[in-house]
Amino acid sequence: MIFETHAHYDDEKFNEDREELISSLFRDFNIEYIVNAGCDMKSSYAGLELSRKWKNFYAAVGIHPHSADEYNDENTEKLRELSNDPKAVAIGEIGLDYYYDFCDREVQRKCFKAQLDLAAEVGLPVIIHSREAAAETFNIIKESRVRQGVIHSYSGHTEMALEYIKLGFYIGIGGMITFKNAKKSLEVVKNLPLERILTETDSPYLAPVPVRGHRNDSRNLRYIIEKISEIKQISPEKVEETTRKNALSLFDKKIIVA
């Protein structure tokens, strides 16, 4: 059974077939659990609404750096309330994005730090987004009280991944591992212990080869699992089993194991 640790099924790209697709993932495609990641207040609420419809569908709540200008005391209080929901398993996705710079960098930092404080307060893990801000993201996390989470869609070097592991974090591996230019990602997977890797799709984005360029969904986790098994020279079943166990360990406070 496969654990999808990061998807965005509230996205408008799923408007035409959302319920049919998600039901089929659980019924027909060996997907056991799904965590839907929030990007702003609207998607955080939407993820929790979706979680009401399927027993093994959960949500992370948080404000993405692209939406950091939503950060204010009122929304922090709303996130605190949402984090107490039985189906809320993490604060995220949160972090820094200096590639697009859709929000002022100082606003991003304040939003990020506030949500790390919230996660520490409510005792939930974090889902971290970091793009073109690797060193600063790491330093802010290290200075925080948070010691449980996942670095989503990790694209950095092995050395920093190992430092994150020392802090207690997992490394999220998605479709990029299958891309032709994925040299860094290949090295990361090769050198990291399988016990610190999580599998994710970031659906509807980052579809892996051989479906790159199409709308992504959790059925494609099998390509990511197969690639990890190839790199580490172990069976896909071992990858599936271990990454599932890893995710259950990270989100253990809220996940209900059948």
Side-chain angles (χ1 to χ4, degrees):
M1 301 295 286
I2 300 172
F3 199 128
E4 162 71 277
T5 63
H6 195 114
H8 299 280
Y9 284 113
D10 60 287
D11 191 280
E12 63 181 11
K13 292 182 175 65
F14 294 110
N15 283 354
E16 292 186 6
D17 63 347
R18 181 179 291 110
E19 294 203 13
E20 178 185 352
L21 172 63
I22 295 173
S23 294
S24 74
L25 294 174
F26 290 127
R27 184 183 63 241
D28 302 324
F29 293 99
N30 205 34
I31 305 301
E32 185 177 16
Y33 298 100
I34 294 172
V35 173
N36 199 79
C39 290
D40 51 25
M41 296 307 299
K42 181 180 178 181
S43 64
S44 295
Y45 280 106
L48 285 173
E49 283 302 308
L50 288 174
S51 78
R52 314 285 180 230
K53 299 180 180 181
W54 297 274
K55 176 184 176 183
N56 287 359
F57 192 105
Y58 293 84
V61 298
I63 299 174
H64 188 286
H66 289 347
S67 301
D69 53 9
E70 283 193 7
Y71 164 71
N72 54 45
D73 291 342
E74 180 182 355
N75 281 339
T76 299
E77 286 305 311
K78 289 179 180 177
L79 286 175
R80 181 177 286 107
E81 291 176 11
L82 294 181
S83 72
N84 289 319
D85 190 287
K87 299 300 286 289
V89 296
I91 302 297
E93 62 184 284
I94 63 175
L96 302 173
D97 194 310
Y98 293 169
Y99 180 80
Y100 286 107
D101 272 331
F102 286 158
C103 289
D104 177 81
R105 293 186 179 186
E106 186 55 32
V107 173
Q108 290 188 47
R109 294 182 193 108
K110 289 180 179 179
C111 181
F112 184 24
K113 291 177 181 179
Q115 291 180 98
L116 287 171
D117 287 343
L118 175 62
E121 176 190 331
V122 300
L124 288 181
V126 292
I127 297 175
I128 301 295
H129 172 102
S130 179
R131 190 166 187 188
E132 299 297 326
E136 189 169 354
T137 301
F138 179 82
N139 289 334
I140 288 174
I141 292 173
K142 188 175 182 180
E143 291 169 4
S144 78
R145 295 175 292 151
V146 174
R147 290 297 179 267
Q148 52 178 347
V150 54
I151 311 303
H152 152 63
S153 194
Y154 186 76
S155 60
H157 295 286
T158 300
E159 292 76 15
M160 181 164 283
L162 292 171
E163 290 300 311
Y164 272 120
I165 287 174
K166 290 178 184 177
L167 289 182
F169 280 72
Y170 291 86
I171 302 299
I173 301 297
M176 289 191 301
I177 193 68
T178 67
F179 297 173
K180 289 183 179 179
N181 61 348
K183 185 176 180 180
K184 275 197 300 184
S185 297
L186 296 176
E187 287 298 313
V188 167
V189 170
K190 181 179 179 181
N191 289 288
L192 256 58
L194 184 62
E195 291 72 20
R196 303 308 295 183
I197 290 175
L198 300 182
T199 54
E200 59 174 58
T201 60
D202 202 21
S203 298
Y205 314 106
L206 292 178
V209 176
V211 292
R212 189 175 183 184
H214 296 274
R215 185 188 73 172
N216 200 7
D217 67 61
S218 302
R219 291 174 294 184
N220 297 324
L221 281 165
R222 66 186 186 273
Y223 299 120
I224 297 161
I225 289 169
E226 287 169 2
K227 189 65 178 180
I228 294 172
S229 73
E230 175 190 321
I231 295 166
K232 300 191 83 63
Q233 297 185 326
I234 56 178
S235 70
E237 291 77 17
K238 179 65 174 177
V239 175
E240 182 179 314
E241 173 190 354
T242 304
T243 55
R244 173 189 179 274
K245 182 178 179 181
N246 297 344
L248 287 172
S249 178
L250 177 62
F251 300 121
D252 69 332
K253 290 188 177 181
K254 297 286 189 77
I255 295 291
I256 299 171
V257 181

